[in-house]
Amino acid sequence: ISWNGYFLNNLEIKKEYRNQGYGTQLMNKVINFSKKQGKLHLISQVVSFNKPAIKLHEKVGFTIHSKGINKNGELVFIYIYYL
């Protein structure tokens, strides 16, 4: 991991728009934008109980880089996507 990447923070799809492909579209736009900007990777932190977010990250190609505990004492997965 280098400094030449983006950290995705607090992305959310409102409940009434979920399961319609918007999350996948958003992630793909972020991936494509980041590639055009010459970035090397994307990083995202997801709490372990957020199953829809985990499913989305893995669907578009993110992999777990590490695990940790956030400030609320919750288990989190640190996902990375190499561009």
Side-chain angles (χ1 to χ4, degrees), residues 3-81:
W3 290 103
N4 190 19
Y6 288 129
F7 182 81
L8 308 180
N9 189 30
N10 293 328
L11 293 178
E12 179 183 0
I13 303 298
K14 291 178 107 178
K15 285 185 180 183
E16 61 265 28
Y17 297 108
R18 292 181 189 165
N19 298 309
Q20 299 178 44
Y22 293 118
T24 302
Q25 289 178 37
L26 176 61
M27 292 295 262
N28 286 329
K29 286 187 182 286
V30 170
I31 290 167
N32 291 330
F33 174 81
S34 301
K35 286 179 181 177
K36 289 178 184 174
Q37 295 294 308
K39 298 302 177 185
L40 299 176
H41 54 76
L42 299 171
I43 299 172
S44 182
Q45 177 177 293
V46 180
V47 290
S48 63
F49 56 82
N50 189 342
K51 301 303 181 197
I54 290 168
K55 182 178 175 183
L56 174 61
H57 280 73
E58 293 178 358
K59 177 181 178 180
V60 298
F62 279 76
T63 58
I64 293 177
H65 177 270
S66 58
K67 299 176 184 178
I69 304 295
N70 67 12
K71 66 181 180 178
N72 298 321
E74 300 162 326
L75 176 64
V76 295
F77 301 132
I78 310 303
Y79 279 94
I80 189 159
Y81 184 100

